[in-house]
Amino acid sequence: MNKKLLFLILSSITLFAETTMCYKENVTSISNIDDIKLDGGKCESQNSLNEMKESGWNVDDINISKNPDGGMNYIYILKNEKQYNASDIESIEQKILQKLENRKVEDEKRRIEEIKIKMSREGKIKYVKKCQSCHGENAELKALGTSRPLVTLNLDQMITSIHEYQRHAKDNGNGVVMTPYAKSINERDIKNIYSYILTLKPEEKKENK
Ligand code: HEC
């Protein structure tokens, strides 16, 4: 979000408005009414109207009536509208930006998780159909005794090995058995199969349970 815009929006919002009611009964002279200590509410017989105004209060409503004893009764409804100040805005802005950032990270994590799930699902179909019979249900077998258990390979090793079989560059004795399978899969298949094999790792399996 544009920082200046955010600042403008926030600074125009009232944080909260506090209301209080102060009064003075039976006032006989109104010449110094603004300096008379008012009773009730936040005035607490300590603050005059002028003093209240100095500390941010504004008169929202006024009610004047006649007192049976001859003077006048004054009732003030005062409001204190606290505006966001610069440091409030700074911290609110930080919170908003942090939230946006967190959401982005969460979205990204979710997206990656979904891709992983999709890849390993597709990989599973291929693996079970084309590879499992020799490499084992948990990719734990040494196929015909001459391959490493696939579950121990990282992605690089997996890709390199498959590429080598594809161009007849690898043979631990049974290369001829593996080569046609290497040739039957493409780059995407390799990554998908690898994703699936990752889910077969003993520690991954435990986590998924
Ligand atoms: C008919 C049995 C068989 C099938 C099916 C098979 N493989 Fe193999 N695979 C082997 C053998 C045997 C080797 C070792 C070859 C050698 O001696 O060089 C091997 C080796 C490999 C290696 C290299 C391991 C290492 O130690 O570097 C990878 C990776 C591999 N296979 C992946 C696959 C994938 C992926 C599939 C399914 C698309 C598959 N294999 C299907 C038998 C098979």
Side-chain angles (χ1 to χ4, degrees):
M1 196 184 302
N2 180 317
K3 271 199 160 199
K4 273 194 188 137
L5 181 67
L6 189 65
F7 190 90
L8 277 178
I9 294 170
L10 290 179
S11 56
S12 67
I13 298 172
T14 304
L15 187 55
F16 59 82
E18 218 181 341
T19 305
T20 192
M21 192 181 82
C22 301
Y23 61 90
K24 195 74 202 171
E25 286 176 316
N26 202 18
V27 179
T28 48
S29 154
I30 63 159
S31 60
N32 61 343
I33 180 71
D34 290 352
D35 293 316
I36 293 177
K37 305 289 183 197
L38 299 173
D39 300 316
K42 296 268 174 184
C43 300
E44 299 170 319
S45 314
Q46 311 270 331
N47 297 298
S48 67
L49 188 61
N50 277 339
E51 284 165 331
M52 290 299 279
K53 280 181 179 170
E54 269 164 34
S55 45
W57 294 87
N58 293 309
V59 177
D60 193 52
D61 200 5
I62 226 176
N63 185 296
I64 305 169
S65 59
K66 223 171 157 51
N67 189 290
D69 293 339
M72 304 295 277
N73 297 331
Y74 284 76
I75 301 174
Y76 296 96
I77 305 296
L78 301 175
K79 254 198 181 145
N80 186 348
E81 298 197 340
K82 190 173 184 301
Q83 297 288 325
Y84 283 107
N85 62 32
S87 74
D88 288 335
I89 291 170
E90 187 91 342
S91 85
I92 291 166
E93 186 187 74
Q94 280 310 318
K95 276 183 203 147
I96 292 175
L97 292 176
Q98 191 57 49
K99 272 211 178 118
L100 290 175
E101 189 54 36
N102 290 349
R103 195 156 53 187
K104 240 194 278 166
V105 172
E106 285 304 314
D107 285 352
E108 188 61 16
K109 271 194 203 152
R110 202 172 310 123
R111 209 176 61 85
I112 291 172
E113 214 38 55
E114 278 165 12
I115 291 173
K116 271 198 198 159
I117 290 171
K118 188 163 171 278
M119 283 175 73
S120 80
R121 196 181 295 140
E122 286 176 19
K124 178 179 184 173
I125 295 170
K126 282 260 151 75
Y127 184 82
V128 169
K129 203 164 110 191
K130 291 187 161 184
C131 324
Q132 185 168 287
S133 58
C134 295
H135 288 283
E137 207 173 310
N138 291 309
E140 80 287 15
L141 299 181
K142 296 178 175 171
L144 301 186
T146 54
S147 88
R148 289 173 285 180
L150 299 186
V151 75
T152 66
L153 303 188
N154 64 32
L155 181 60
D156 272 351
Q157 292 169 325
M158 181 104 175
I159 291 174
T160 307
S161 284
I162 302 272
H163 284 174
E164 284 171 353
Y165 285 116
Q166 283 172 347
R167 50 174 213 274
H168 305 270
K170 185 173 166 99
D171 186 5
N172 291 338
N174 293 306
V176 55
V177 178
M178 179 56 207
T179 298
Y181 292 99
K183 286 187 173 176
S184 78
I185 55 177
N186 61 29
E187 296 309 293
R188 210 179 121 175
D189 295 332
I190 299 175
K191 285 180 188 150
N192 289 345
I193 289 170
Y194 178 76
S195 298
Y196 173 61
I197 290 175
L198 275 186
T199 69
L200 302 174
K201 291 197 183 212
E203 62 268 32
E204 287 281 331
K205 280 194 141 179
K206 244 184 261 147
E207 262 174 43
N208 292 342
K209 261 173 201 163

